[in-house]
Amino acid sequence: MKNLDDPISKLKGVGPKKQEDLFDLNIKTIFDLLNYFPFRYDDFRMKDLSQLQDQQTVTLKGKIAVEPTVNYFGKRRNRLIIRLLVGNDVIPISFFNQPWLKKNLIVGQEILVYGKFDSNRKTMSGIKIINETKNQGYNSIYSVNSKITQKSLKQIIEQAYSEYQDVIEDFVPNWIIKKYRLENLKNVIKTMHFPKSQADVKGARRTAKFNEFFLFQMRLQTVKGQKQKSEKAKIMSDKLTLMPFIDKLPYELTAAQDKVVNEILYDLHRPYQMNRLLQGDVGSGKTVVAALAILATVLSHKQAVMLAPTEILAEQHANSLAKLFKDTDINIALLTGDTPNSARKQLLPRIKDGKINLIVGTHALFQDTVQYHDLGLAVIDEQHRFGVNQRRKMREKGAATNVLSMTATPIPRTLSITTYGEMDISVIDELPGGRKPIKTTWIKNNQVRLMLNFLKKHLKNHEQAYVVVPLIDESDSVDMRNVTDTYEKFEQTFSPTYQVGLLHGQMNDEDKNQVMDDFKKNKTQILISTTVIEVGVDVSNASVMVIFDADHFGLAQLHQLRGRVGRGQQQSYCILIADPKNKTGIERMNVMSSSTDGFFISQKDLELRGPGDILGKQQSGIPNFKVGDPISDVNILSAAKNVATRVTDEDNWQQLAKNKNLVERLNAINNNTSFD
Ligand code: ADP
Ligand code: MG
């Protein structure tokens, strides 16, 4: 019985040598081979020249009208001109520095020329002359290597198609094919390899992209097998139980906050562990959303933890949560690496017996020595600061712990679907009212005076300012001098009228806390810092952010830094100081000065630097798709994700198991490494 997962060696003519060569193209099975699609098509049919777009690459077919000429200019440079009669037009086609092409050309001969068409001048700049005219339709061009020729690959594909076409069956469920008006797989494979027209290819390619994304999403969703149903994961409280608390908040929830609270409560209510990522720009009010999830958990007689990446943040969260929860029965404790042993000894048993129902802290929270009574919810703030294993350790502290991860880094849609594909995503896409967008200006190094005058004005007005200096390497002494130099210069300029603080990563935690505390209490008015202030710090009286050598930072990081101001009612400012040396640097500064929209900025970051640079190649988790482009085809990608989520949902799981073709396809992917 023929099967698409047969190895390619089943084909006649594919011996060990050819098999190896095909392996190099990542083709192992018949399925791989049939899904190894052309990356381009040459159109060998007569063209209506008036239909061609300017600079379109096309293949023209015509007769050589007159003897081709070669003109020399300079020592080695020359140009061959072929005048090709195409229909009633004579098109001059230029080839540079390839005079030898001329000797095979005969007047009156019919040839095909592949090149770039200039529709204004009706000329072409030639790329390649194709002598065979036997293919009259659309010609598929594959990406090949030095061992395999177009011709031999095409032959093998043709052979595979004719032998296996009867066993090509759809793995995408029928209702999806109908809903998204997809084509069936057999048709897609046939059209992609042997198309008749451009329009044919377009439809087939769309389905091919969908199929590729769909399989990828299915794999993400099923890696861990069916989501485990567990009554223990259920949090009983609902919106109504939370209403008295919500009513007492000093502000109204924004519509966006309200929406994500509903999404979270819905998840918590279901007998499956929640795995949700809450995205919200700095200042969008994620803390209170987390607080509501925590309250729901505690009211349902379970424990909750709130995990933060640094001591400063953990303390800040403990304080603001204590304030929010002061009229509730929540017993809150702070547990960090700094917690003294004696206090720790008292805390641990009370955590274990459940007397304490909310624990805020750092990495200490998932250490072996800490045992929980019944951990129902783990909130992980700034989730990207924790490794996969750390997050797993936290989750495994309870029998069925729901996880709410939070991040202020806006994730472009492409990445949220690929890299974060196994998570559900909630987005707070609105800032609480009354907040004014931060005004950003970019100045050059020789304009620093302007910045100093500007600062003086705002300090006089009892506001505070951050001054950030980049540190490439915290241990590099040259860099360190940079921060301390800046610190001294600001001291000279502003002291004794204003106090200047200094914060960097080489200080011990106690000193850091002291410096932060002084700034919070307005004992210091200017804080010179490295990027250690990047995360979550909240001082609403700070209204000016100055960033030196701003072009040394990525857009996402600049956006994070800028978010440290603009947290109060007054107008806030960000001043970028940079003399960027390249175009990307200039564009980065322009993006920052013109936009405060985190999603726009992150998408730009993705375009300017590529996904690998943002998350690290290993981490980016974006596989090398063959047909689809996860950035420009993000809509198809998104549809594939929605569908895959539905297919793997509890109600459809039984259905899925019955879909033999899909199950086989998924098994084949898991055994193979086509996606890696
Ligand atoms: P982030 O999302 O950056 O963690 P926070 O939760 O720290 O933001 O919230 C920033 C500030 O906005 C806090 O001072 C908080 O009290 C305030 N805040 C949160 N939600 C609202 C709201 N709906 N209306 C007004 N202020 C709010
Ligand atoms: Mg926060």
Side-chain angles (χ1 to χ4, degrees), residues 277-287 307 309 313 317 379-386 404-412 420 425-429 431 533-537 555-564 567 596-603 605:
L277 176 65
L278 176 60
Q279 276 188 66
D281 222 336
V282 277
S284 61
K286 293 186 292 296
T287 314
L307 180 64
L313 264 182
H317 277 316
V379 179
I380 306 180
D381 197 17
E382 309 292 344
Q383 62 97 28
H384 56 279
R385 300 275 300 254
F386 295 94
L404 178 64
S405 303
M406 307 203 290
T407 179
T409 311
I411 301 166
Y420 298 89
I425 296 191
S426 288
V427 181
I428 308 183
D429 51 7
L431 292 181
I533 53 132
E534 186 185 343
V535 188
V537 172
L555 282 179
Q557 206 177 11
L558 285 174
H559 183 65
Q560 285 278 319
L561 287 169
R562 180 168 62 180
R564 299 301 107 220
R567 314 203 120 219
T596 52
D597 176 349
F599 284 95
F600 172 76
I601 290 170
S602 69
Q603 187 67 38
D605 216 16

Side-chain angles (χ1 to χ4, degrees), residues 219-412:
R219 191 173 78 144
L220 271 187
Q221 308 276 345
T222 54
V223 175
K224 291 179 230 103
Q226 184 182 7
K227 288 175 204 150
Q228 280 300 311
K229 197 164 186 163
S230 164
E231 292 300 321
K232 285 201 180 114
K234 244 172 141 164
I235 304 290
M236 300 312 295
S237 328
D238 54 18
K239 194 84 173 280
L240 217 59
T241 12
L242 301 179
M243 233 40 223
F245 177 83
I246 295 177
D247 285 343
K248 266 194 245 154
L249 288 173
Y251 42 74
E252 294 254 317
L253 291 181
T254 63
Q257 282 172 319
D258 196 54
K259 179 193 72 188
V260 301
V261 166
N262 288 340
E263 288 166 355
I264 292 166
L265 290 177
Y266 172 77
D267 264 12
L268 289 178
H269 215 77
R270 282 157 43 101
Y272 298 91
Q273 279 170 268
M274 172 168 81
N275 185 15
R276 190 168 275 280
L277 176 65
L278 176 60
Q279 276 188 66
D281 222 336
V282 277
S284 61
K286 293 186 292 296
T287 314
V288 67
V289 171
L292 287 167
I294 290 168
L295 185 62
T297 306
V298 173
L299 289 177
S300 190
H301 310 292
K302 287 171 188 290
Q303 275 174 320
V305 294
M306 172 100 154
L307 180 64
T310 63
E311 303 273 337
I312 296 181
L313 264 182
E315 247 171 70
Q316 196 173 282
H317 277 316
N319 288 336
S320 45
L321 289 173
K323 230 186 269 168
L324 277 168
F325 289 143
K326 66 177 185 308
D327 296 331
T328 68
D329 295 335
I330 292 183
N331 284 320
I332 177 171
L334 177 68
L335 182 66
T336 71
D338 277 3
T339 307
N341 248 335
S342 53
R344 210 181 142 82
K345 265 199 191 123
Q346 290 191 332
L347 274 178
L348 291 184
R350 297 178 59 215
I351 294 175
K352 194 176 173 187
D353 68 15
K355 293 249 164 52
I356 294 176
N357 40 24
L358 169 60
I359 309 99
V360 182
T362 55
H363 302 72
L365 294 183
F366 50 79
Q367 272 160 17
D368 293 338
T369 45
V370 186
Q371 288 173 27
Y372 296 91
H373 182 63
D374 183 5
L375 188 60
L377 173 71
V379 179
I380 306 180
D381 197 17
E382 309 292 344
Q383 62 97 28
H384 56 279
R385 300 275 300 254
F386 295 94
V388 178
N389 286 334
Q390 297 181 318
R391 281 178 273 167
R392 186 175 41 96
K393 261 181 136 173
M394 191 71 252
R395 187 176 62 235
E396 287 173 356
K397 278 291 184 186
T401 309
N402 295 288
V403 177
L404 178 64
S405 303
M406 307 203 290
T407 179
T409 311
I411 301 166

